[in-house]
Amino acid sequence: GDSVTQMEGPVTLSEEAFLTINCTYTATGYPSLFWYVQYPGEGLQLLLKATKADDKGSNKGFEATYRKETTSFHLEKGSVQVSDSAVYFCALSDSLQGGSEKLVFGKGTKLTVNP
Amino acid sequence: SAVISQKPSRDICQRGTSLTIQCQVDSQVTMMFWYRQQPGQSLTLIATANQGSEATYESGFVIDKFPISRPNLTFSTLTVSNMSPEDSSIYLCSVGDRGQQPQHFGDGTRLSIL
């Protein structure tokens, strides 16, 4: 079945540091890929998405590129802020899997940014 | 994007009791899902709530434990039955439209069982 493997955390960075969180996937079809963010005590918010190979999703300074050849969707940000401290989830949706369009999530990576 | 309201936002319950969680959306949506997030873990899909018919459950989840209703295109409920401490989790509702992504999530219900 479909799966998402995400870089284990926690990750601790200083403000203005460069961030990479690795994400690779396994899917039988042509999935859409997502990064969701969960701030402390809150639900999930969509951060960015990409629906086909070579698409780049971007939002709030975060970027991720859908790489079909390496089955990856790594999250990057050039300069993190304290307010970026949260848990980040990589996820895929493979509509060819029974048409349910359910999301399959990675385990999540906790990011802490120190001032 | 759709505005999703979940109630209650949190609760502390006694072992053996049941709790019903509500999910209300401000617009009609095709798909409604229920996820569980156990402490420090990722999200796992419990079931897809189907309007006017029985929910579709994922492997490891059964209707007797997690009965779901979806009477219309804007509302669904999830009941956690005969609760035990292992049911302590965040339960999240998400919505989407068939053929379109992404799904959007409510803020979740934080449930603790004593």
Side-chain angles (χ1 to χ4, degrees), chain B residues 64-84:
Chain B
D64 289 346
K65 176 67 176 177
F66 298 101
I68 288 171
S69 78
R70 188 172 175 197
N72 56 51
L73 293 176
T74 64
F75 185 77
S76 178
T77 66
L78 168 74
T79 299
V80 186
S81 303
N82 188 25
M83 289 184 284
S84 66

Side-chain angles (χ1 to χ4, degrees), chain A residues 32 34 36 38-46 49 51 89 93 99-108, chain B residues 31 33 35 37 40-43 45 48 58 90 92 97-108 110:
Chain A
S32 296
F34 308 89
Y36 282 86
Q38 186 175 36
Y39 297 102
E42 299 185 11
L44 266 70
Q45 299 177 24
L46 177 70
K49 68 174 183 178
T51 58
F89 292 93
S93 175
S100 69
E101 301 181 359
K102 69 179 184 182
L103 286 169
V104 176
F105 285 88
K107 292 187 175 182
Chain B
M31 316 289 287
F33 303 89
Y35 290 83
Q37 185 180 20
Q41 302 298 313
S42 187
L43 283 79
L45 181 66
T48 302
E58 297 297 305
I90 302 173
L92 296 109
D97 282 306
R98 189 177 295 279
Q100 299 181 26
Q101 289 288 358
Q103 291 177 26
H104 297 279
F105 285 79
D107 283 342
R110 285 152 181 80

Side-chain angles (χ1 to χ4, degrees), chain A residues 37 39 60 62 77 79-86 88 111 113:
Chain A
V37 59
Y39 297 102
K60 300 181 181 179
F62 290 90
K77 187 175 185 182
S79 176
V80 294
Q81 305 300 313
V82 173
S83 58
D84 294 326
S85 298
Y88 293 82
L111 171 66
V113 180

Side-chain angles (χ1 to χ4, degrees), chain A residues 22-93:
Chain A
N22 290 337
C23 172
T24 57
Y25 67 90
T26 302
T28 54
Y30 302 94
S32 296
L33 302 174
F34 308 89
W35 279 99
Y36 282 86
V37 59
Q38 186 175 36
Y39 297 102
E42 299 185 11
L44 266 70
Q45 299 177 24
L46 177 70
L47 183 59
L48 53 83
K49 68 174 183 178
T51 58
K52 62 183 187 296
D54 299 326
D55 270 1
K56 177 186 282 189
S58 61
N59 186 25
K60 300 181 181 179
F62 290 90
E63 294 184 341
T65 301
Y66 189 144
R67 301 287 188 197
K68 187 177 179 183
E69 64 276 14
T70 55
T71 62
S72 65
F73 193 55
H74 305 321
L75 182 69
E76 297 182 337
K77 187 175 185 182
S79 176
V80 294
Q81 305 300 313
V82 173
S83 58
D84 294 326
S85 298
V87 180
Y88 293 82
F89 292 93
C90 185
L92 69 80
S93 175

Side-chain angles (χ1 to χ4, degrees), chain B residues 9-95:
Chain B
S9 59
R10 62 179 66 241
D11 207 340
I12 301 173
C13 299
Q14 296 296 319
R15 186 192 303 250
T17 62
S18 299
L19 178 73
T20 295
I21 302 167
Q22 299 180 0
C23 179
Q24 177 75 55
V25 191
D26 69 342
S27 59
Q28 293 186 345
V29 292
T30 310
M31 316 289 287
M32 295 184 80
F33 303 89
W34 288 98
Y35 290 83
R36 181 175 73 181
Q37 185 180 20
Q38 294 179 299
Q41 302 298 313
S42 187
L43 283 79
T44 302
L45 181 66
I46 297 172
T48 302
N50 301 308
Q51 193 263 331
S53 64
E54 194 169 285
T56 304
Y57 289 84
E58 297 297 305
S59 176
F61 297 95
V62 295
I63 188 171
D64 289 346
K65 176 67 176 177
F66 298 101
I68 288 171
S69 78
R70 188 172 175 197
N72 56 51
L73 293 176
T74 64
F75 185 77
S76 178
T77 66
L78 168 74
T79 299
V80 186
S81 303
N82 188 25
M83 289 184 284
S84 66
E86 292 72 35
D87 294 320
S88 297
S89 297
I90 302 173
Y91 293 86
L92 296 109
C93 169
S94 76
V95 304

